[in-house]
Amino acid sequence: MNESPKALRLHIGLFGRRNAGKSSLLNALVGQDVAIVSPTPGSTADPVEKTLEMAPLGPVVFLDTAGLDDQEASLGAQRVERSLRAMRRVDVALLVLDAPCWEAVDADTAARLATAGIPFAVVVNSRGTADACDAAWRPDGLAATVPVLWASAREGWGLEGIRAALARLAPAGALKQPPLVHDLLPEHGTLLLVVPLDSGAPQGRLILPQVQTIRDSLDGRCLCLVVTEEQLPQAFAALRRPPDLVVCDSQVVHVAARLTPPSVPLTTFSILMARAKGDLVALARGAAALTRLRPGQTVLVQEACSHHVQKDDIGRVKIPRLLARLAGKEFTEYAGDAAAVVHCGACAITRGQMLARLDEARAHGLPMTNYGMCISLAQGVLERVLSPFPEALAAWRAEAHLPG
């Protein structure tokens, strides 16, 4: 559990006014001094993360945020903005009060959480004893479905009630990850993974989507064979029967498509991630917007992690180069109204965070797809790699106005 990637952990946010006791409550819940506690308002500037395993939830990430009522002249607005941005990253939240007092900023925070579809509880972080709390108190206008809990970070009571409430509030999908690949295979099926070892491959290890695919296939009791693209013909020759599925890195999809017999299903790691982390049908539909690109349009390239920028970086070099090809003209810069969003594989964020990004793009009228679909489209093999997913394939064809 302690080694679980953050993208596979439940994300819990603590929000509230300055000096409401968010940091002290976080320290009490995790049993460690991970956040600075001070009577000085505004001690928490950036969201503080703490990863741990907490019963009965399992692996979680806590995010402690700055006070949403921060009006300090120089940095207050930036602190509030960072707290609001952190709200997009959480699966469940605690709205912390330091007394049974409901102010306008608390009502606004509750409304923001409700609008974002984030389940939450109100926690009154008391300085007194459990006997002194007013269990009947409830803020006016708060939805009846939102629990109001009393606890004391200083005295240590009420913490188990918060943990139990978080377990009840957590979205079902956040506690149990959908299968990545093994549900696409028959019982004891064979999976063939094509992993290039080029200059972009990390030294001595595989990247996270590749590792997760291997683990998921083993969890499904499937046979898994991992090869480079040069070894693909040798792998087919060594197998007594064709594999049930071939999964390749998007950047060698043109090679894998050429070497894999048409009768063998083929897809990419990026498309597997799109299914597990987001809405595969929506992302396939969004890929059709790339077929209508024209020179001068803007395409937003969105990434979920901060990685070391490489010489031939996929998001900054390769994807723009492919988009230029799709637009029918070689150019290096886009200007004008946005036509689409191309997102990375989202291996570093949770499913809830990816769905929130999809919702935000949809709210702005922007179709979204991901790196893998963009690359496969530019290589002319998008239909091939979507074939294991009939609903997504149908959505792509309908949006691209292709015959079904």
Side-chain angles (χ1 to χ4, degrees):
M1 287 292 188
N2 289 332
E3 300 300 323
S4 296
K6 285 201 296 186
L8 299 181
R9 293 173 177 262
L10 182 76
H11 282 55
I12 304 167
L14 287 84
F15 302 95
R17 288 175 267 127
R18 292 177 299 167
N19 275 23
K22 300 182 295 299
S23 298
S24 59
L25 183 63
L26 170 60
N27 290 343
L29 285 169
V30 305
Q32 301 177 41
D33 290 333
V34 297
I36 297 174
V37 176
S38 169
T40 303
S43 298
T44 302
D46 291 324
V48 174
E49 289 189 4
K50 174 59 181 175
T51 59
L52 72 154
E53 198 223 334
M54 187 178 74
L57 290 166
V60 301
V61 177
F62 273 100
L63 284 87
D64 181 25
T65 63
L68 292 171
D69 61 337
D70 195 336
Q71 298 179 355
E72 197 268 331
S74 60
L75 296 174
Q78 293 182 46
R79 291 168 179 159
V80 170
E81 174 59 26
R82 293 205 174 197
S83 293
L84 294 176
R85 283 207 311 245
M87 193 177 287
R88 304 172 193 166
R89 298 165 50 194
V90 304
D91 302 300
V92 63
L94 299 175
L95 175 48
V96 183
L97 313 175
D98 64 346
C101 176
W102 190 249
E103 298 186 4
V105 66
D106 303 314
D108 178 70
T109 304
R112 288 177 182 271
L113 290 167
T115 300
I118 299 169
F120 69 99
V122 173
V123 178
V124 183
N125 187 17
S126 173
R127 292 182 174 85
T129 65
D131 295 336
C133 68
D134 181 5
W137 179 81
R138 188 174 188 83
D140 292 335
L142 184 68
T145 54
V146 177
V148 177
L149 311 170
W150 286 69
S152 175
R154 185 170 66 179
E155 303 298 331
W157 56 265
L159 302 179
E160 284 304 317
I162 295 175
R163 297 185 184 105
L166 288 171
R168 291 193 300 270
L169 290 169
L175 293 178
K176 182 175 177 57
Q177 295 295 320
L180 192 59
V181 70
H182 74 255
D183 62 319
L184 301 173
L185 304 169
E187 186 176 9
H188 305 304
T190 302
L191 177 65
L192 180 54
L193 304 182
V194 185
V195 176
L197 298 180
D198 55 18
S199 60
Q203 184 68 31
R205 63 181 178 86
L206 301 177
I207 63 174
L208 186 58
Q210 296 164 356
V211 172
Q212 290 177 336
T213 303
I214 294 170
R215 174 56 192 265
D216 188 79
S217 69
L218 297 176
D219 287 342
R221 302 297 185 265
C222 301
L223 300 177
C224 183
L225 177 61
V226 184
V227 300
T228 65
E229 66 272 28
E230 294 88 356
Q231 296 172 317
L232 192 53
Q234 180 183 352
F236 278 113
L239 293 170
R240 291 185 177 181
R241 60 179 180 83
D244 297 292
L245 178 66
V246 174
V247 180
C248 67
D249 188 277
S250 296
Q251 298 186 70
V252 296
V253 68
H254 58 296
V255 176
R258 174 169 51 84
L259 297 177
T260 301
S263 59
V264 176
L266 169 70
T267 194
T268 69
F269 291 106
S270 183
I271 289 175
L272 290 181
M273 295 301 294
R275 184 177 76 127
K277 289 296 183 74
D279 183 336
L280 180 61
V281 172
L283 291 167
R285 190 181 295 118
L290 302 184
T291 67
R292 299 186 282 270
L293 284 182
R294 297 293 178 267
Q297 288 184 302
T298 298
V299 176
L300 305 177
V301 178
Q302 189 171 13
E303 293 192 329
C305 68
S306 53
H307 62 273
H308 175 68
V309 178
Q310 299 180 346
K311 179 181 178 181
D312 205 19
D313 193 73
I314 183 169
R316 294 162 178 80
V317 179
K318 293 181 179 178
I319 292 295
R321 186 187 300 148
L322 292 173
L323 291 171
R325 183 192 305 172
L326 288 168
K329 181 181 178 182
E330 288 295 335
F331 57 99
T332 58
E333 295 183 359
Y334 293 86
D337 294 335
V341 179
V342 181
H343 200 285
C344 71
C347 63
I349 59 177
T350 67
R351 176 174 171 80
Q353 291 165 11
M354 183 61 196
L355 290 173
R357 293 186 176 199
L358 269 165
D359 287 342
E360 188 171 357
R362 191 178 295 116
H364 285 83
L366 286 171
M368 178 186 281
T369 190
N370 80 344
Y371 283 8
M373 293 194 199
C374 174
I375 294 171
S376 295
L377 174 62
Q379 300 291 349
V381 296
L382 181 57
E383 294 219 356
R384 175 78 189 274
V385 296
L386 285 179
S387 60
F389 314 99
E391 189 177 358
L393 179 59
W396 145 255
R397 285 177 172 169
E399 191 69 20
H401 305 296
L402 298 173

